[in-house]
Amino acid sequence: MRIKILFGVSVLLLAGCTTTHQLTSAGANVRFVDTQPGNECQRLGEVTGTQSNWLNGVSNESSSMRSAANDLRNKAAEMGGNVIYGINSPSEGLLASFVPLDSKMVGQVYKCP
């Protein structure tokens, strides 16, 4: 009985690691910009989008970064923002060559008219 319960919990935990982030309708209204927004925009803060690459089934780095970007846009929308500026992806270093680390994107969130 205990083994069945532990197995069920393990499956649920692993299933939680296998999802990729889908873009929400609010997230779809958030755009990335290359130039810093002007004074008419309000800076809301910094946001980080991530995609777990541990047992997630994402086939390549491009898909993983796209999912991290979706997470970033969704979180920016939740903050009330509609623009993300200064996107960067923290370097993963040598360890990433051997271990599937999370893909991350960081940016500044603004609310612009």
Side-chain angles (χ1 to χ4, degrees), residues 18-72:
T18 62
T19 59
T20 57
H21 298 284
Q22 300 299 315
L23 193 58
T24 64
S25 58
N29 293 321
V30 176
R31 59 190 169 93
F32 296 111
V33 296
D34 293 331
T35 56
Q36 186 168 9
N39 292 334
E40 72 279 4
C41 298
Q42 175 187 7
R43 185 178 179 277
L44 301 177
E46 184 176 276
V47 69
T48 300
T50 60
Q51 171 59 50
S52 173
N53 294 327
W54 186 253
L55 299 174
N56 71 353
V58 173
S59 59
N60 60 46
E61 185 177 342
S62 175
S63 295
S64 181
M65 290 305 289
R66 185 176 317 114
S67 183
N70 287 346
D71 187 40
L72 186 71

